[in-house]
Amino acid sequence: MRARHDDPEIPERLQPRDLDKGARAELKTLSKENADWVARHLAAASEFLDDDPALAHQHAVSAARRAGRIAVVRETLAITAYATGDFALALRELRTYRRISGSNDQLPLMVDSERGVGRPDRALEVGRAVDRAELPVAVQVSLAIAMSGARLDLGQPELALAELEIPQLDPDRAFSYSPALFSAYAEVLEELGRTAEAADWRARTARAEAALGGPAEDEIVEIFEIEEEAEGQPEADDADVEREDDPGAVLEDDVAAVIAEGEALDAESNEAEALGAESNEAEALGAESNEDGRDGPVPSAH
Protein backbone atom coordinates (compact mmCIF):
# COMPACT_ATOMS: atom_id res chain seq x y z
CA MET A 1 0.00 0.00 0.00
CA ARG A 2 1.60 3.25 -1.10
CA ALA A 3 1.83 6.31 1.07
CA ARG A 4 -0.74 9.00 0.47
CA HIS A 5 0.43 12.30 -0.92
CA ASP A 6 -1.32 15.39 0.40
CA ASP A 7 -0.83 18.56 -1.60
CA PRO A 8 0.96 21.18 0.48
CA GLU A 9 -0.77 24.52 0.84
CA ILE A 10 0.36 27.17 -1.65
CA PRO A 11 0.84 30.66 -0.17
CA GLU A 12 -1.81 33.00 -1.56
CA ARG A 13 0.83 35.49 -2.65
CA LEU A 14 2.28 32.97 -5.13
CA GLN A 15 0.50 33.27 -8.47
CA PRO A 16 1.13 31.70 -11.92
CA ARG A 17 2.87 34.88 -13.05
CA ASP A 18 5.57 34.24 -10.42
CA LEU A 19 6.81 31.28 -12.45
CA ASP A 20 9.48 32.00 -15.05
CA LYS A 21 7.96 32.82 -18.45
CA GLY A 22 9.82 30.04 -20.22
CA ALA A 23 8.50 27.50 -17.73
CA ARG A 24 4.97 28.87 -18.04
CA ALA A 25 5.20 28.47 -21.80
CA GLU A 26 5.70 24.72 -21.33
CA LEU A 27 2.38 24.51 -19.48
CA LYS A 28 0.34 25.75 -22.45
CA THR A 29 -0.68 22.20 -23.35
CA LEU A 30 -2.58 21.94 -20.06
CA SER A 31 -6.04 23.28 -19.35
CA LYS A 32 -6.02 26.87 -18.05
CA GLU A 33 -7.08 25.84 -14.56
CA ASN A 34 -4.59 22.99 -14.36
CA ALA A 35 -1.75 25.11 -15.79
CA ASP A 36 -2.33 27.78 -13.15
CA TRP A 37 -2.41 25.17 -10.41
CA VAL A 38 0.81 23.54 -11.59
CA ALA A 39 2.53 26.91 -12.09
CA ARG A 40 1.80 27.93 -8.49
CA HIS A 41 3.23 24.65 -7.15
CA LEU A 42 6.35 25.08 -9.29
CA ALA A 43 6.76 28.67 -8.07
CA ALA A 44 6.44 27.42 -4.49
CA ALA A 45 9.01 24.68 -5.12
CA SER A 46 11.45 27.30 -6.37
CA GLU A 47 10.81 29.61 -3.43
CA PHE A 48 11.24 26.96 -0.73
CA LEU A 49 14.13 25.05 -2.32
CA ASP A 50 16.95 26.62 -0.30
CA ASP A 51 15.26 26.97 3.10
CA ASP A 52 12.96 23.94 3.13
CA PRO A 53 13.89 21.43 0.40
CA ALA A 54 11.50 18.79 1.75
CA LEU A 55 8.56 21.18 1.37
CA ALA A 56 9.82 22.22 -2.06
CA HIS A 57 9.88 18.54 -3.04
CA GLN A 58 6.29 18.09 -1.92
CA HIS A 59 5.24 20.98 -4.17
CA ALA A 60 7.17 19.40 -7.06
CA VAL A 61 5.43 16.06 -6.51
CA SER A 62 2.07 17.85 -6.50
CA ALA A 63 2.90 19.48 -9.83
CA ALA A 64 3.99 16.13 -11.26
CA ARG A 65 0.65 14.56 -10.29
CA ARG A 66 -1.10 16.77 -12.84
CA ALA A 67 1.63 17.44 -15.39
CA GLY A 68 3.99 14.48 -15.43
CA ARG A 69 4.69 14.78 -19.16
CA ILE A 70 5.96 18.37 -18.93
CA ALA A 71 9.76 18.70 -19.00
CA VAL A 72 10.06 21.57 -16.53
CA VAL A 73 7.92 19.65 -14.03
CA ARG A 74 10.18 16.58 -14.15
CA GLU A 75 13.22 18.86 -13.99
CA THR A 76 11.87 20.53 -10.85
CA LEU A 77 11.08 17.16 -9.30
CA ALA A 78 14.67 16.06 -9.98
CA ILE A 79 16.18 19.20 -8.50
CA THR A 80 14.12 19.00 -5.32
CA ALA A 81 14.89 15.28 -4.96
CA TYR A 82 18.59 16.09 -5.24
CA ALA A 83 18.21 18.83 -2.63
CA THR A 84 16.66 16.35 -0.19
CA GLY A 85 19.49 13.85 -0.78
CA ASP A 86 17.40 11.37 -2.77
CA PHE A 87 20.00 10.95 -5.51
CA ALA A 88 18.45 7.80 -7.00
CA LEU A 89 15.15 9.59 -7.59
CA ALA A 90 16.99 12.65 -8.88
CA LEU A 91 18.80 10.49 -11.44
CA ARG A 92 15.61 8.86 -12.64
CA GLU A 93 13.84 12.18 -13.02
CA LEU A 94 16.84 13.80 -14.72
CA ARG A 95 16.90 11.01 -17.29
CA THR A 96 13.18 11.51 -17.89
CA TYR A 97 13.67 15.26 -18.20
CA ARG A 98 16.42 14.79 -20.77
CA ARG A 99 14.33 12.31 -22.73
CA ILE A 100 11.36 14.69 -22.84
CA SER A 101 13.27 17.91 -23.48
CA GLY A 102 16.30 16.74 -25.44
CA SER A 103 18.37 19.09 -23.26
CA ASN A 104 21.71 18.36 -21.59
CA ASP A 105 21.60 21.45 -19.39
CA GLN A 106 21.18 19.34 -16.25
CA LEU A 107 24.11 17.07 -17.09
CA PRO A 108 26.21 18.39 -14.16
CA LEU A 109 23.42 17.44 -11.75
CA MET A 110 23.31 13.96 -13.29
CA VAL A 111 27.05 13.59 -12.74
CA ASP A 112 26.71 14.75 -9.13
CA SER A 113 23.76 12.41 -8.57
CA GLU A 114 25.84 9.47 -9.81
CA ARG A 115 28.43 10.52 -7.25
CA GLY A 116 25.67 10.70 -4.66
CA VAL A 117 24.73 7.05 -5.18
CA GLY A 118 28.38 6.06 -4.91
CA ARG A 119 29.26 5.62 -8.59
CA PRO A 120 32.06 8.12 -9.40
CA ASP A 121 33.27 5.98 -12.32
CA ARG A 122 29.79 6.08 -13.83
CA ALA A 123 29.67 9.82 -13.13
CA LEU A 124 32.76 10.31 -15.30
CA GLU A 125 31.23 8.20 -18.08
CA VAL A 126 28.06 10.29 -18.03
CA GLY A 127 30.04 13.52 -18.17
CA ARG A 128 32.22 12.35 -21.06
CA ALA A 129 29.27 11.16 -23.14
CA VAL A 130 28.37 14.68 -24.29
CA ASP A 131 30.36 17.16 -26.39
CA ARG A 132 31.03 19.96 -23.92
CA ALA A 133 31.42 22.50 -26.69
CA GLU A 134 27.71 22.14 -27.39
CA LEU A 135 26.76 23.09 -23.82
CA PRO A 136 26.12 26.65 -22.58
CA VAL A 137 29.22 28.12 -20.92
CA ALA A 138 27.75 28.08 -17.41
CA VAL A 139 26.82 24.40 -17.85
CA GLN A 140 30.36 23.63 -19.06
CA VAL A 141 31.72 25.13 -15.85
CA SER A 142 29.27 23.26 -13.62
CA LEU A 143 30.16 20.04 -15.42
CA ALA A 144 33.87 20.63 -14.89
CA ILE A 145 33.26 21.11 -11.16
CA ALA A 146 31.17 17.93 -10.96
CA MET A 147 33.76 15.92 -12.91
CA SER A 148 36.51 17.24 -10.65
CA GLY A 149 34.51 16.07 -7.63
CA ALA A 150 34.22 12.59 -9.14
CA ARG A 151 37.99 12.51 -9.60
CA LEU A 152 38.44 13.42 -5.93
CA ASP A 153 36.04 10.63 -4.99
CA LEU A 154 38.37 8.24 -6.82
CA GLY A 155 41.47 9.63 -5.10
CA GLN A 156 42.78 11.36 -8.24
CA PRO A 157 43.55 14.95 -7.16
CA GLU A 158 45.91 15.70 -10.06
CA LEU A 159 43.24 14.73 -12.57
CA ALA A 160 40.67 16.62 -10.48
CA LEU A 161 42.76 19.76 -10.91
CA ALA A 162 43.08 19.16 -14.65
CA GLU A 163 39.27 18.93 -14.96
CA LEU A 164 39.04 22.51 -13.65
CA GLU A 165 41.75 24.02 -15.84
CA ILE A 166 39.33 25.26 -18.47
CA PRO A 167 39.27 28.58 -20.36
CA GLN A 168 36.71 29.98 -17.90
CA LEU A 169 39.25 29.73 -15.05
CA ASP A 170 40.26 33.37 -15.59
CA PRO A 171 41.53 35.08 -12.42
CA ASP A 172 41.01 38.56 -13.86
CA ARG A 173 37.37 38.34 -14.95
CA ALA A 174 34.31 37.55 -12.88
CA PHE A 175 31.27 35.79 -14.27
CA SER A 176 28.30 34.35 -12.42
CA TYR A 177 30.02 30.96 -12.37
CA SER A 178 33.46 32.25 -11.30
CA PRO A 179 33.15 32.02 -7.47
CA ALA A 180 32.13 28.35 -7.59
CA LEU A 181 34.90 27.55 -10.09
CA PHE A 182 37.57 29.44 -8.14
CA SER A 183 36.48 27.79 -4.89
CA ALA A 184 36.58 24.30 -6.39
CA TYR A 185 40.06 24.99 -7.77
CA ALA A 186 41.24 26.18 -4.35
CA GLU A 187 39.85 23.02 -2.73
CA VAL A 188 41.78 20.73 -5.07
CA LEU A 189 44.98 22.75 -4.64
CA GLU A 190 44.56 22.32 -0.87
CA GLU A 191 44.10 18.58 -1.39
CA LEU A 192 47.40 18.55 -3.28
CA GLY A 193 49.19 20.38 -0.46
CA ARG A 194 49.66 23.56 -2.51
CA THR A 195 48.38 25.73 0.32
CA ALA A 196 49.79 29.08 -0.82
CA GLU A 197 48.14 28.76 -4.23
CA ALA A 198 44.93 27.58 -2.59
CA ALA A 199 44.91 30.71 -0.42
CA ASP A 200 45.36 32.90 -3.51
CA TRP A 201 42.37 31.30 -5.23
CA ARG A 202 40.25 31.60 -2.11
CA ALA A 203 41.07 35.31 -2.09
CA ARG A 204 40.03 35.51 -5.75
CA THR A 205 36.81 33.73 -4.84
CA ALA A 206 36.04 36.36 -2.20
CA ARG A 207 36.82 39.23 -4.58
CA ALA A 208 34.66 37.71 -7.32
CA GLU A 209 31.75 37.28 -4.90
CA ALA A 210 32.11 40.89 -3.80
CA ALA A 211 32.28 42.10 -7.39
CA LEU A 212 29.14 40.19 -8.29
CA GLY A 213 27.25 41.32 -5.22
CA GLY A 214 24.34 43.77 -5.24
CA PRO A 215 20.90 43.80 -6.85
CA ALA A 216 20.56 41.89 -10.12
CA GLU A 217 19.52 43.61 -13.31
CA ASP A 218 17.12 41.58 -15.44
CA GLU A 219 19.14 39.81 -18.15
CA ILE A 220 21.85 42.46 -18.03
CA VAL A 221 25.40 41.68 -17.01
CA GLU A 222 28.37 44.00 -16.95
CA ILE A 223 31.77 42.67 -17.90
CA PHE A 224 34.90 44.46 -16.80
CA GLU A 225 38.56 43.84 -17.49
CA ILE A 226 41.10 44.26 -14.69
CA GLU A 227 43.84 46.81 -15.26
CA GLU A 228 46.37 47.94 -12.65
CA GLU A 229 48.11 51.33 -12.68
CA ALA A 230 51.84 51.65 -12.26
CA GLU A 231 51.39 52.51 -8.58
CA GLY A 232 49.69 49.15 -8.08
CA GLN A 233 46.25 50.66 -7.46
CA PRO A 234 43.44 48.70 -9.16
CA GLU A 235 41.25 50.49 -11.65
CA ALA A 236 38.46 48.71 -13.54
CA ASP A 237 37.42 50.09 -16.94
CA ASP A 238 33.88 49.57 -18.09
CA ALA A 239 33.50 47.38 -21.15
CA ASP A 240 30.37 46.99 -23.21
CA VAL A 241 27.25 45.81 -21.43
CA GLU A 242 26.51 42.30 -22.65
CA ARG A 243 23.93 39.56 -22.16
CA GLU A 244 25.10 36.16 -20.86
CA ASP A 245 23.83 34.05 -21.88
CA ASP A 246 10.00 16.08 6.12
CA PRO A 247 8.64 13.74 7.29
CA GLY A 248 5.96 12.64 4.87
CA ALA A 249 8.27 12.73 1.86
CA VAL A 250 7.03 10.50 -0.95
CA LEU A 251 9.19 7.47 -1.82
CA GLU A 252 10.39 6.86 -5.38
CA ASP A 253 7.69 4.30 -6.22
CA ASP A 254 5.07 6.58 -4.72
CA VAL A 255 6.24 9.43 -6.91
CA ALA A 256 5.81 7.27 -9.99
CA ALA A 257 2.33 6.29 -8.84
CA VAL A 258 1.12 9.82 -8.18
CA ILE A 259 2.55 10.99 -11.51
CA ALA A 260 0.71 8.24 -13.36
CA GLU A 261 -2.48 9.12 -11.51
CA GLY A 262 -1.98 12.79 -12.31
CA GLU A 263 -1.40 12.17 -16.01
CA ALA A 264 -4.80 10.49 -16.22
CA LEU A 265 -6.38 13.50 -14.52
CA ASP A 266 -4.56 15.82 -16.89
CA ALA A 267 -5.83 13.91 -19.93
CA GLU A 268 -9.39 14.25 -18.66
CA SER A 269 -8.88 17.94 -18.03
CA ASN A 270 -7.53 18.56 -21.53
CA GLU A 271 -10.41 16.64 -23.12
CA ALA A 272 -12.90 18.77 -21.21
CA GLU A 273 -11.11 21.92 -22.28
CA ALA A 274 -11.24 20.90 -25.95
CA LEU A 275 -15.03 20.91 -25.76
CA GLY A 276 -15.19 24.53 -24.62
CA ALA A 277 -13.96 27.81 -26.05
CA GLU A 278 -10.26 28.47 -25.80
CA SER A 279 -9.17 31.07 -23.29
CA ASN A 280 -8.29 34.54 -24.55
CA GLU A 281 -5.57 34.86 -22.01
CA ALA A 282 -2.78 33.37 -24.15
CA GLU A 283 0.34 35.27 -23.24
CA ALA A 284 3.55 35.71 -25.17
CA LEU A 285 5.37 33.16 -23.12
CA GLY A 286 7.93 32.04 -25.66
CA ALA A 287 10.64 34.27 -24.29
CA GLU A 288 13.63 32.30 -23.23
CA SER A 289 14.35 32.22 -19.52
CA ASN A 290 17.34 34.22 -18.33
CA GLU A 291 20.68 32.61 -17.87
CA ASP A 292 21.78 32.69 -14.31
CA GLY A 293 23.78 35.47 -12.79
CA ARG A 294 25.58 38.53 -13.90
CA ASP A 295 29.21 39.42 -14.32
CA GLY A 296 31.46 42.05 -12.88
CA PRO A 297 35.06 42.98 -12.19
CA VAL A 298 37.38 41.05 -9.93
CA PRO A 299 39.21 43.75 -7.94
CA SER A 300 42.91 43.10 -7.69
CA ALA A 301 44.31 42.11 -4.31
CA HIS A 302 46.02 45.34 -3.24
Side-chain angles (χ1 to χ4, degrees), residues 58-130:
Q58 292 300 297
H59 280 289
V61 170
S62 292
R65 291 182 66 216
R66 294 293 186 92
R69 293 190 179 96
I70 305 297
V72 70
V73 173
R74 303 306 281 265
E75 180 184 28
T76 303
L77 188 57
I79 291 169
T80 59
Y82 177 89
T84 62
D86 192 342
F87 303 116
L89 177 57
L91 268 174
R92 196 193 74 180
E93 293 303 319
L94 286 167
R95 292 187 190 111
T96 302
Y97 162 72
R98 184 163 67 170
R99 185 168 63 249
I100 294 172
S101 68
S103 171
N104 283 309
D105 285 359
Q106 290 296 349
L107 187 64
L109 201 62
M110 291 185 71
V111 171
D112 248 359
S113 295
E114 290 286 3
R115 294 179 60 206
V117 296
R119 298 194 296 248
D121 283 321
R122 173 61 181 158
L124 293 173
E125 290 176 12
V126 170
R128 288 193 295 258
V130 172

Side-chain angles (χ1 to χ4, degrees), residues 23-42:
R24 280 160 52 202
E26 293 190 39
L27 306 182
K28 289 189 296 183
T29 58
L30 305 176
S31 67
K32 174 66 167 60
E33 180 182 359
N34 196 28
D36 287 351
W37 190 86
V38 170
R40 293 183 68 209
H41 272 297
L42 292 179

Side-chain angles (χ1 to χ4, degrees), residues 234-249:
E235 179 180 343
D237 294 333
D238 289 3
D240 293 337
V241 174
E242 302 178 3
R243 291 183 184 271
E244 184 190 281
D245 272 289
D246 86 40

Side-chain angles (χ1 to χ4, degrees), residues 14-28 35-36 38-47 70 72-73 75-76 97 218-219 283-293:
L14 291 179
Q15 296 300 316
R17 64 178 176 273
D18 294 314
L19 184 65
D20 175 82
K21 287 183 178 180
R24 280 160 52 202
E26 293 190 39
L27 306 182
K28 289 189 296 183
D36 287 351
V38 170
R40 293 183 68 209
H41 272 297
L42 292 179
S46 177
E47 174 159 308
I70 305 297
V72 70
V73 173
E75 180 184 28
T76 303
Y97 162 72
D218 238 6
E219 299 185 11
E283 298 179 276
L285 301 177
E288 294 182 359
S289 52
N290 302 338
E291 286 201 15
D292 52 336

